Amino acid sequence: MGSGSGLAWTCIQSFKNAAGFANLAGMNGIARLPLSSPTLLLAVVLMLAAPVGRAQPGTPNAFEQNRKLGRGVNILGYDPIWRSRDQARFQDQHFRLLKEAGFSSVRINLQPFRRMNAANGYALSESWFEVLDWAVRQAQAQNLRVILDLHEYNSLGADPVTNKVKFLAFWRQLSAHCQGAPDSVLFEVLNEPSRKLTPALWNEYLAEALAIIREKNPTRTVIVGPAFWNSIDHLAELELPAADRNLIVTIHYYTPMDFTHQGAAWAGRKDKLGVDWLGTEKELGVLQGDFDKAAHWAKQHDRPIFIGEFGAYDKAPMESRARYLASVARAAEQRGWSWAYWQFDSDFILYDIGRDAWIEP
Ligand code: BGC
């Protein structure tokens, strides 16, 4: 079994000096999207004023962990590297590029179910763990914090009952494998629980997965979000163990879908192009209203918030895309939240690996 493969975790360097707000202000990658420094400075001040959580003494505080996630990006979800190392699109140097651009974390999207089967007890292969360990080590070498995100929402949404065995087997193995990893490695229980994984069922599944994780990782920071694709509107149904303070709550934000998913066949909008987002008072009002709703929930429940995904498909008009991304990112930062842009490569693209260049407005 991969987790017993002896692939030891090496903390390549200390993470005590992980980049803080000063570095965020200096980012120049996604920052090519319009950023104004007064807004950013204001955001920095507001972030420092974020509420302090109550982790057990000696364990990393979830609010502090969230602050350190800062600005992140989703990576590796649809990279052929998981089939074979020599087909990798993402390379060592991309971790450095992300760091130099000012990012402080990566959310690694994991889709292991197709490689798990009953015949060998759903064991993940050594080669799968080798890719995972490579990615984590490269991120660590750049002082990028790492979220290991189980991205099997399609399988679990279509047939939660059948796929539950893989879901729990995955967490049993990953939790054992990462037992010795530094606190800069975070787990995310499941991306966008949805469809047949109803809010009630999701509460049961997440409690079971969390119990498995806590056997070997009693204080690791774990990220978990509401059902209905991590929607703000379903935060109220999310049930978390009240005593577990090492949790960050994630939401995804793609509102308005007609803008962010224009041209996206999987969202039924293949031919609906040319939708702008101008940052009008009305548009900004929707964004602020949605985020205020989430902030209210977070305050009531004393939980930090991470926007694990937001973005606009690359078929959206570029100027609107840049305007929207900057508005969402700044609105999150003003509330002391961390975020991860969807995504580095592939669709919603931020970096063109073929041309070796950032996408710019
Ligand atoms: C999915 C992607 C999709 C994105 C935006 C992600 O969670 O994995 O396939 O492009 O959401 O819809």
Side-chain angles (χ1 to χ4, degrees):
M1 185 185 286
S3 58
S5 64
L7 297 167
W9 283 92
T10 321
C11 183
I12 292 174
Q13 34 190 302
S14 159
F15 289 84
K16 300 300 168 204
N17 296 326
F21 295 127
N23 279 359
L24 299 185
M27 80 188 275
N28 54 26
I30 201 172
R32 291 183 188 161
L33 308 172
L35 287 181
S36 80
S37 28
T39 313
L40 197 60
L41 285 175
L42 176 64
V44 168
V45 172
L46 289 174
M47 283 172 86
L48 288 170
V52 175
R54 284 180 259 114
Q56 298 124 27
T59 64
N61 174 297
F63 284 91
E64 177 62 9
Q65 287 280 78
N66 197 39
R67 186 185 71 77
K68 287 180 177 169
L69 287 178
R71 294 172 167 183
V73 63
N74 283 274
I75 63 166
L76 287 167
Y78 298 94
D79 197 302
I81 191 172
W82 299 103
R83 275 203 301 275
S84 155
R85 282 295 285 277
D86 54 20
Q87 289 174 30
R89 290 171 57 72
F90 204 95
Q91 307 288 335
D92 293 6
Q93 77 257 23
H94 296 120
F95 290 97
R96 182 177 47 74
L97 281 176
L98 286 172
K99 185 65 184 183
E100 285 170 2
F103 288 99
S104 39
S105 56
V106 287
R107 180 174 182 253
I108 302 178
N109 315 119
L110 305 171
Q111 304 191 53
F113 282 11
R114 68 203 67 175
R115 293 168 221 292
M116 298 169 77
N117 56 71
N120 63 353
Y122 302 100
L124 290 158
S125 67
E126 292 214 2
S127 59
W128 188 88
F129 275 112
E130 274 166 23
V131 175
L132 182 81
D133 290 347
W134 162 79
V136 175
R137 286 202 181 98
Q138 290 296 325
Q140 288 180 327
Q142 298 297 333
N143 265 350
L144 291 164
R145 299 179 84 79
V146 176
I147 296 165
L148 300 179
D149 151 49
L150 179 61
H151 212 77
E152 291 287 5
Y153 68 116
N154 277 326
S155 308
L156 278 157
D159 189 352
V161 175
T162 305
N163 285 304
K164 186 178 183 185
V165 59
K166 286 188 180 177
F167 174 57
L168 298 181
F170 171 82
W171 279 115
R172 199 165 284 115
Q173 292 172 77
L174 197 81
S175 181
H177 186 77
C178 298
Q179 192 170 0
D183 63 35
S184 55
V185 177
L186 288 73
F187 296 162
E188 182 171 336
V189 183
L190 180 66
N191 174 71
E192 299 189 349
S194 46
R195 297 190 286 163
K196 290 188 184 160
L197 194 51
T198 59
L201 200 55
W202 172 228
N203 285 334
E204 282 175 32
Y205 279 40
L206 84 84
E208 283 185 59
L210 203 50
I212 288 170
I213 290 169
R214 289 298 179 226
E215 284 171 19
K216 293 212 159 38
N217 291 269
T219 59
R220 183 169 307 284
T221 309
V222 174
I223 300 176
V224 62
F228 275 84
W229 292 272
N230 293 145
S231 143
I232 292 172
D233 290 334
H234 290 267
L235 276 169
E237 289 145 282
L238 179 65
E239 285 172 14
L240 300 175
D244 192 337
R245 304 320 295 174
N246 291 312
L247 301 176
I248 292 174
V249 171
T250 186
I251 51 176
H252 289 182
Y253 198 72
Y254 288 108
T255 302
M257 286 290 285
D258 282 344
F259 168 68
T260 63
H261 280 67
Q262 58 189 292
W266 72 94
R269 290 173 171 87
K270 190 171 173 301
D271 301 315
K272 296 185 179 157
L273 293 160
V275 183
D276 273 310
W277 194 88
L278 301 170
T280 61
E281 211 173 303
K282 192 170 163 213
E283 287 168 331
L284 287 168
V286 171
L287 169 62
Q288 302 296 350
D290 287 343
F291 278 20
D292 284 347
K293 223 184 294 173
H296 179 70
W297 181 92
K299 192 160 185 236
Q300 274 186 323
H301 294 81
D302 194 21
R303 301 285 188 186
I305 298 279
F306 164 60
I307 304 194
E309 287 185 19
F310 72 103
Y313 194 29
D314 33 285
K315 294 195 174 158
M318 184 51 105
E319 283 200 5
S320 286
R321 200 179 161 211
R323 195 181 293 120
Y324 174 82
L325 299 183
S327 300
V328 175
R330 301 295 84 75
E333 289 165 1
Q334 282 162 9
R335 289 165 178 80
W337 303 347
S338 58
W339 52 256
Y341 176 72
W342 181 269
Q343 65 178 326
F344 182 71
D345 180 28
S346 187
D347 57 18
F348 289 65
I349 185 168
L350 186 62
Y351 190 83
D352 186 334
I353 289 183
R355 280 197 307 117
D356 216 357
W358 292 100
I359 305 293
E360 296 190 53

